[in-house]
Amino acid sequence: MAEAGTTPPLPAVALTSGLLYQILAAEIAVQRGELGPAFATFMALAKETRDPRFAQRATEVAIGGRALAQALEAATLWRGLAPQSTDALHTLAALLVANHRIDEAAPLLREQVANDPQPAEALGRAQRVLARASDRAAAFRLLEELAAPYRDDPRIGADVRLVLASGAQAAGDSQRAAQEAQAALALRPDFERAALLAAQFLSRPDGKESAAGRAQALSLLHQFLRRQPQALEARQAYARLLVADGRHGEARAQFERVLQQQQDNLDALYALGVLDMESPATRAAARRYFERYLQALEEAPQAMRDPDPAYLNLARIAEEQKKYDEALAWLARVSGADNRFLARLRHALVLGKMQRVDEARQLLAELQPSSDAARVQIAQAEGQLLREAKRYAEALQVLAAALARYPDDPGLLYDTAMAAEKMNRLDLVERHLRRLIELKPDDAHAYNALGYTFADRNQRLPEALALIEKALSLAPNDAYILDSMGWVYFRLGDLPRAREYLERAFQLKPEAEVGAHLGEVLWLLGERDEARRVWRTAWQHDADNETLRETLARFNVRF
């Protein structure tokens, strides 16, 4: 039972047969989970022999049983028997804080910092202890007091400021946390960890995403990377913030720079794969990135990454390229329990696209849902399967039955409305989408779906415009909402404004339905060559799209 750290001379305790018996009996009790008797035995031995090792063991037993009051009693005895022990000092201070006795912990923490040859590290340990205090403000005040002599030290001041930043964040003061991290960076401009923490605290004031905070974080990291272009972690953090800001092209360039420095960087490979999935023109590149990711993962098993998300993404790419057998092969490689369920749902949808709808429905019927959420997912998958097979009445029946069981599930409300739209049941469409808006007033797609339903039928156009404007205010860069806005202006006869929105939408998502709408507006504006170019691009993406086929037929255009 030798303890680490500085210890005083131990008392001479003869290991008699009786003492040995008590020790063994107590340890056996611990193994059996009988912690109360074991604790009592070790405490009695500590008081009888004055040997701090028994008090230490009593403390460990009490902590293992989460008996904080008893642990504090034992640690107090341990500290009394071994006043020079750093382990006893640290443990007693932590237990006093855990027992809401921060004032009694304060002198011990002062001693801990003052006597440590590495005060910044000692402050870090103190901060982690104080982070568990119930009175977060009092804990941070004490941390400030402990740090005061060191915060502007040119040698360790930057490290101390980061300790204060972590303490402020633990106390719920994000603004102070950001200030301290920035002060650390000012003291040491090449300090990557300070740059990372400052960006983290700036981008999420009060723990929430903020566009203004993200802009500050981006500026800070941009300046840092100009000074330290080889800082990989900072560059990846910068790229992730660019993604969150919707600046995907710039983010891609940053992740590519990471790969130039470290060609098997798993985070960059995966991120580039995800970014390149969104456009048909770059899906081949996305596939290569995911395959490189899996290869790098195979060569670095110590990375402990789950390959399932890459398999699912590769399956999605193959599915969108209509390589259905390949998609099924990727899905078959998914092995994690949660991901396996998602893979089986996707497997069914792929079978549907292979015209094997009944087989797909049987697969869904054989799934064993473990929760209501899983049951909802199965119903949604079956509804999508039937809708894509143009079996609209059956889709509506399946989804309506699920909605009757889970009447306020947002996903079911939306999907049932979309199935009802295919059956021209506008009463159900409006009822379900209005309910969804009531439940989730910030759901941009609910407003958009209702507005587009009216616009597509050339009905209630002022109301359609208001609904889509609301959707766009909630999601200003959503291609589908931009498409809806263009289409409602088309219905209102404002072709130039329709073109403006549709071109933005097609740039973001060069998909068949958006292309059909943009081509029609261009045709009516007299730009027939440009209309044909757009329609050809859309046709190459999805020649079977119903809206596109109907549009081409109306204008007698063939490819």
Side-chain angles (χ1 to χ4, degrees):
M1 289 194 305
E3 67 166 312
T6 304
T7 60
L10 295 170
V13 179
L15 189 61
T16 65
S17 59
L19 179 59
L20 180 60
Y21 174 78
Q22 290 183 76
I23 294 170
L24 289 173
E27 292 293 354
I28 291 170
V30 170
Q31 293 176 12
R32 291 175 174 172
E34 299 167 357
L35 302 184
F39 172 80
T41 298
F42 285 125
M43 283 293 285
L45 290 174
K47 292 173 182 177
E48 178 186 337
T49 65
R50 312 302 293 170
D51 189 326
R53 291 174 294 183
F54 291 123
Q56 178 184 358
R57 186 65 181 125
T59 306
E60 293 166 351
V61 170
I63 291 173
R66 301 191 179 187
L68 295 183
Q70 289 78 10
L72 178 57
E73 177 191 355
T76 303
L77 177 60
W78 178 16
R79 170 74 169 160
L81 295 175
Q84 297 176 0
S85 167
T86 54
D87 284 353
L89 170 67
H90 296 164
T91 303
L92 180 57
L95 285 166
L96 284 166
V97 171
N99 280 276
H100 317 296
R101 293 161 65 174
I102 194 169
D103 290 341
E104 295 174 62
L108 299 179
L109 292 171
R110 291 189 194 101
E111 180 183 345
Q112 177 180 323
V113 174
N115 294 340
D116 198 300
Q118 302 291 335
E121 293 181 14
L123 282 165
R125 287 193 297 271
Q127 187 274 317
R128 289 189 289 275
V129 166
L130 290 168
R132 296 191 288 271
S134 56
D135 188 339
R136 298 191 300 172
F140 185 60
R141 285 195 298 271
L142 176 56
L143 182 65
E144 286 185 295
E145 177 198 323
L146 297 172
Y150 312 100
R151 56 187 295 172
D152 296 316
D153 186 313
R155 184 177 59 88
I156 63 169
D159 297 292
V160 172
R161 292 281 189 160
L162 281 196
V163 171
L164 283 168
S166 296
Q169 185 70 5
D173 189 345
S174 296
Q175 183 176 357
R176 177 67 183 279
Q179 290 170 353
E180 292 293 348
Q182 288 174 284
L185 190 59
L187 285 169
R188 198 193 305 170
D190 63 346
F191 195 0
E192 185 174 18
R193 183 163 166 264
L196 289 166
L197 282 179
Q200 175 187 328
F201 296 145
L202 284 169
S203 66
R204 293 180 59 85
D206 303 319
K208 298 177 183 176
E209 291 289 341
S210 160
R214 188 164 57 245
Q216 289 181 283
L218 283 164
S219 176
L220 182 145
L221 287 173
H222 178 71
Q223 295 300 321
F224 179 79
L225 287 167
R226 290 180 65 181
R227 298 191 302 271
Q228 300 292 323
Q230 301 303 310
L232 275 178
E233 286 190 59
R235 192 169 298 282
Q236 290 181 88
Y238 183 53
R240 286 191 288 269
L241 284 171
L242 288 169
V243 171
D245 212 41
R247 295 156 64 180
H248 292 179
E250 294 173 72
R252 183 181 291 105
Q254 293 300 319
F255 282 122
E256 286 171 349
R257 286 195 64 175
V258 170
L259 287 185
Q260 289 171 9
Q261 293 175 244
Q262 192 178 76
Q263 63 179 1
D264 291 333
N265 184 286
L266 292 169
D267 291 327
L269 287 169
Y270 189 85
L272 284 165
V274 171
L275 287 169
D276 281 346
M277 283 183 69
E278 297 310 309
S279 169
T282 57
R283 283 190 188 126
R287 175 188 178 124
R288 289 193 295 273
Y289 282 124
F290 285 127
E291 288 175 340
R292 283 178 60 186
Y293 171 84
L294 290 171
Q295 180 64 33
L297 199 56
E298 191 174 312
E299 294 171 359
Q302 71 278 6
M304 300 294 290
R305 300 285 186 97
D306 182 1
D308 282 355
Y311 296 147
L312 289 166
N313 283 328
L314 282 163
R316 180 181 151 196
I317 291 168
E319 180 183 343
E320 288 173 346
Q321 294 175 332
K322 297 183 171 56
K323 298 176 180 178
Y324 299 129
D325 288 330
E326 182 184 319
L328 294 179
W330 285 118
L331 291 171
R333 297 181 69 174
V334 175
S335 59
D338 291 340
N339 287 324
R340 186 64 180 157
F341 176 75
L342 293 175
R344 300 301 285 169
L345 293 179
R346 199 74 239 165
H347 187 121
L349 292 172
V350 173
L351 287 176
K353 291 180 178 179
M354 298 170 78
Q355 312 303 318
R356 293 157 63 180
V357 176
D358 292 335
E359 183 181 344
R361 294 186 77 183
Q362 182 61 35
L363 187 154
L364 292 174
E366 291 170 359
L367 288 177
Q368 311 244 334
S370 59
S371 64
D372 286 342
R375 293 182 185 90
V376 167
Q377 286 179 292
I378 292 170
Q380 288 180 288
E382 188 173 9
Q384 181 180 342
L385 177 74
L386 291 165
R387 194 166 63 247
E388 290 177 353
K390 297 183 172 55
R391 292 162 62 171
Y392 301 127
E394 291 174 86
L396 181 57
Q397 183 180 11
V398 165
L399 290 164
L403 188 61
R405 186 173 181 184
Y406 306 104
D408 284 338
D409 182 88
L412 282 174
L413 283 166
Y414 185 88
D415 285 0
T416 308
M418 294 302 93
E421 188 272 339
K422 291 295 185 181
M423 296 292 293
N424 210 31
R425 290 291 308 276
L426 298 191
D427 57 327
L428 293 181
V429 174
E430 184 164 9
R431 182 198 311 166
H432 295 322
L433 290 176
R434 295 284 186 198
R435 178 57 179 160
L436 177 53
I437 289 168
E438 183 181 341
L439 292 170
K440 296 181 67 179
D442 292 335
D443 190 324
H445 292 287
Y447 294 99
N448 181 60
L450 186 54
Y452 181 80
T453 298
F454 293 149
D456 198 42
R457 287 164 172 76
N458 213 12
Q459 297 176 0
R460 298 162 66 174
L461 294 182
E463 187 177 357
L465 178 61
L467 286 162
I468 297 167
E469 285 176 336
K470 174 65 175 177
L472 200 59
S473 72
L474 293 168
N477 295 312
D478 187 292
Y480 300 113
I481 299 173
L482 289 166
D483 172 64
S484 297
M485 184 64 84
W487 201 236
V488 75
Y489 275 120
F490 166 76
R491 291 301 196 195
L492 289 166
D494 190 340
L495 297 183
R497 293 196 75 179
R499 174 183 184 167
E500 174 190 340
Y501 283 105
L502 290 168
E503 285 183 335
R504 285 175 59 195
F506 196 64
Q507 185 177 13
L508 289 168
K509 291 277 187 186
E511 296 186 357
E513 187 152 337
V514 183
H517 292 159
L518 176 57
E520 183 161 351
V521 170
L522 290 168
W523 187 279
L524 294 175
L525 284 168
E527 299 186 29
R528 298 192 171 186
D529 289 342
E530 181 64 10
R532 287 190 180 92
R533 186 193 67 78
V534 168
W535 280 333
R536 182 181 293 278
T537 300
W539 180 78
Q540 289 170 342
H541 172 65
D542 185 3
D544 295 327
N545 179 270
E546 190 175 341
T547 301
L548 179 62
R549 289 167 65 89
E550 185 274 329
T551 302
L552 294 176
R554 273 194 292 113
F555 290 97
N556 197 29
V557 173
R558 293 181 177 84
F559 296 113

